[in-house]
């Protein structure tokens, strides 16, 4: 609920909405469900309801853009706060917290990539990649990495990008190797790197 309140507070027209009251109404109508992830109460909804809500939101383009931007910013900030923990003693806790919000981070990722927002994409990439790899979701790791490579190809060249591109291509090769074994495709990816 706190995440929803923070996101709504960042969207002008929603800043003064009583989020708890609105969520309680949606729960009462079974449009939103409560679930526990072991650490806290979470809210979920069926994909069909989510799609309907997204269509309704898209009827107001300015509100939709503001809501999606605020959502992406919230999850980039959350991921960034836990990034250093992913490499240290707090790794397990950080993986659990970020894993619980994996769906939201992936939505934020797609929003940022679609808007070519390289700075925020870079801030979200490492923690998102780490969570996906820790789960063994190599297909998603490869997709995430290819999306960043595609975005790098659309921005002005930069020497730092070239170094990052080599590392990313090596990651794609490693992911494909885990998925398919040593194939011609994997060999080609490593040659490109």
């Amino acid at each position: 609920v706190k995440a929803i309140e923070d996101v709504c507070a960042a969207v002008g027209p929603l800043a003064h909405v009583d989020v708890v009251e609105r969520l309680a109404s949606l729960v009462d109508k079974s449009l939103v469900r409560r679930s526990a992830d072991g650490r806290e109460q979470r809210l979920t909804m069926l994909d069909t309801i989510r799609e309907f809500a997204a269509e309704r939101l898209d009827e107001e383009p300015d509100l939709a853009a503001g809501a999606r931007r605020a959502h992406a910013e919230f999850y980039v900030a959350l991921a960034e706060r836990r990034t250093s923990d992913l490499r240290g003693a707090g790794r397990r806790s950080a993986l659990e917290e970020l894993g619980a919000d994996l769906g939201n981070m992936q939505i934020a990722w797609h929003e940022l990539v679609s808007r070519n927002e390289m700075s925020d994409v870079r801030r979200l990439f490492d923690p998102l990649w780490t969570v996906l790899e820790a789960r063994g979701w190599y297909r998603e790791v490869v997709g995430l990495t290819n999306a960043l490579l595609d975005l790098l190809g659309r921005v002005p060249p930069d020497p730092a990008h070239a170094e990052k591109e080599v590392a990313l291509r090596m990651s794609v090769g490693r992911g494909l190797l885990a998925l398919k074994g040593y194939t011609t495709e994997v060999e080609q990816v490593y040659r490109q790197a």
Side-chain angles (χ1 to χ4, degrees):
V1 175
K2 173 92 170 82
I4 298 169
E5 288 177 317
D6 289 352
V7 169
C8 287
V11 181
L14 303 178
H16 301 293
V17 171
D18 185 345
V19 175
V20 174
E21 180 183 314
R22 298 283 176 99
L23 287 172
S25 173
L26 293 172
V27 169
D28 289 344
K29 295 172 186 168
S30 298
L31 295 172
V32 172
R33 297 179 292 178
R34 278 184 250 172
S35 64
D37 72 355
R39 298 174 345 169
E40 62 184 351
Q41 285 286 328
R42 302 191 61 82
L43 298 171
T44 62
M45 66 178 73
L46 296 173
D47 287 339
T48 52
I49 294 170
R50 178 176 302 140
E51 289 169 12
F52 174 76
E55 288 172 10
R56 294 293 310 272
L57 181 61
D58 287 337
E59 292 172 4
E60 296 186 46
D62 291 341
L63 180 62
R68 288 187 174 106
R69 181 71 199 147
H71 177 270
E73 287 174 358
F74 180 88
Y75 285 98
V76 166
L78 171 69
E80 196 168 48
R81 280 193 305 272
R82 296 308 307 259
T83 296
S84 63
D85 294 332
L86 289 169
R87 294 183 201 97
R91 180 176 171 84
R92 176 178 282 166
S93 168
L95 284 171
E96 286 176 12
E97 180 180 354
L98 294 177
D101 282 311
L102 181 58
N104 282 306
M105 291 191 329
Q106 289 174 309
I107 290 168
W109 169 265
H110 291 293
E111 176 66 17
L112 296 168
V113 168
S114 74
R115 295 161 86 70
N116 294 331
E117 297 196 23
M118 181 60 82
S119 174
D120 286 340
V121 164
R122 284 185 169 194
R123 292 169 53 208
L124 186 55
F125 179 79
D126 286 335
L128 183 53
W129 191 93
T130 302
V131 172
L132 292 170
E133 185 185 45
R135 290 181 171 205
W137 293 4
Y138 297 112
R139 189 171 318 283
E140 287 81 1
V141 167
V142 169
L144 182 80
T145 308
N146 281 330
L148 182 52
L149 283 165
D150 182 54
L151 184 56
L152 283 170
R154 295 191 310 248
V155 298
D158 178 338
H161 290 173
E163 189 174 309
K164 182 74 171 176
E165 184 178 348
V166 171
L168 290 170
R169 289 194 187 284
M170 295 297 287
S171 293
V172 169
R174 193 171 85 207
L176 288 173
L177 189 60
L179 286 169
K180 300 178 179 184
Y182 194 79
T183 64
T184 308
E185 180 184 7
V186 172
E187 186 175 336
Q188 183 180 5
V189 168
Y190 279 128
R191 285 179 193 229
Q192 285 176 332

